[in-house]
Amino acid sequence: MLITHDTRCALDTVVDLVNTAPEDDTTPDGLSDVAALDEFVRTHQISDVGTLSEFDLSAVRKIRGRFAGIFAAPDARSAAVIINELVASAGTTPRLTDHDGYDWHVHYFAPGASVADHLAADCGMALAFFVVAGEQERLRRCEAPDCRRAFVDLSRNRSRRYCDSRTCGNRLHVAAYRARRKEAAG
């Protein structure tokens, strides 16, 4: 599956957006206020976004929940329903652009769109490409028991199980190793 630069950026953005949601009542919201949303927009170099407000924060949190639903969707049809709703609600307007030193790519949001519509359109279309290519199963949640972070499995053989092999994957492998040693010792 060919993944263009803008699609990869949108995938990274949607994964990071989904992962800002609190996992439970004890973890903080990664988009706790407008300043956090502004930082998210800056970090992900989201273009054509004006001054952000509480309304924007509320709208982005709402679509964040919809994106989380795509990662939890049991099948492509369920994911497609959510993606279609997100993209349609954003008033998608595809257009070619070559801004900020990037070569030609497609933006799916209308000029002057809100940050929520921008994310719904661009990130929704990036996820749509996975469903169209029959690769919806690559949109996953970490299999570590104490982690449910979202990620996109871009491995060749679709075998990635953890959001980060250096943390979740390594922690589980070390725990299994120690359990085997303890069992062998007796």
Side-chain angles (χ1 to χ4, degrees):
M1 178 175 177
L2 174 67
I3 300 174
T4 61
H5 172 74
D6 53 315
T7 300
R8 180 60 193 256
C9 289
L11 290 171
D12 291 344
T13 299
V14 73
V15 164
D16 288 350
L17 177 63
V18 168
N19 289 334
T20 64
E23 292 182 28
D24 54 37
D25 293 337
T26 64
T27 57
D29 190 323
L31 293 178
S32 58
D33 55 24
V34 176
L37 176 59
D38 190 54
E39 179 62 27
F40 182 87
V41 166
R42 229 182 355 269
T43 299
H44 292 282
Q45 299 177 340
I46 300 171
S47 60
D48 290 337
V49 181
T51 303
L52 300 173
S53 67
E54 288 291 333
F55 177 82
D56 293 310
L57 178 61
S58 175
V60 169
R61 284 179 177 163
K62 184 176 179 181
I63 65 159
R64 174 181 68 185
R66 303 291 292 153
F67 280 127
I70 296 166
F71 282 85
D75 54 43
R77 184 166 305 283
S78 302
V81 167
I82 300 168
I83 292 168
N84 285 339
E85 290 170 356
L86 276 166
V87 171
S89 70
T92 308
T93 307
R95 62 189 168 96
L96 286 168
T97 184
D98 67 340
H99 63 88
D100 298 329
Y102 295 110
D103 204 359
W104 289 104
H105 59 282
V106 179
H107 279 187
Y108 295 95
F109 58 92
S114 71
V115 66
D117 286 345
H118 179 128
L119 291 167
D122 274 0
C123 296
M125 289 304 299
L127 296 174
F129 296 142
F130 275 78
V131 173
V132 168
E135 301 285 354
Q136 185 256 338
E137 75 276 359
R138 289 182 181 267
L139 308 176
R140 298 189 175 165
R141 291 288 188 158
C142 184
E143 291 182 19
D146 58 342
C147 180
R148 296 298 301 147
R149 292 179 59 83
F151 68 94
V152 178
D153 179 2
L154 297 177
S155 66
R156 287 183 189 225
N157 62 358
R158 299 172 186 85
S159 62
R160 187 170 161 199
R161 298 174 50 209
Y162 307 110
C163 63
D164 186 348
S165 61
R166 290 179 308 237
T167 54
C168 289
N170 190 48
R171 189 176 67 247
L172 288 175
H173 291 296
V174 168
Y177 171 77
R178 287 180 179 157
R180 286 191 307 272
R181 298 240 352 203
K182 184 177 181 180
E183 174 94 15

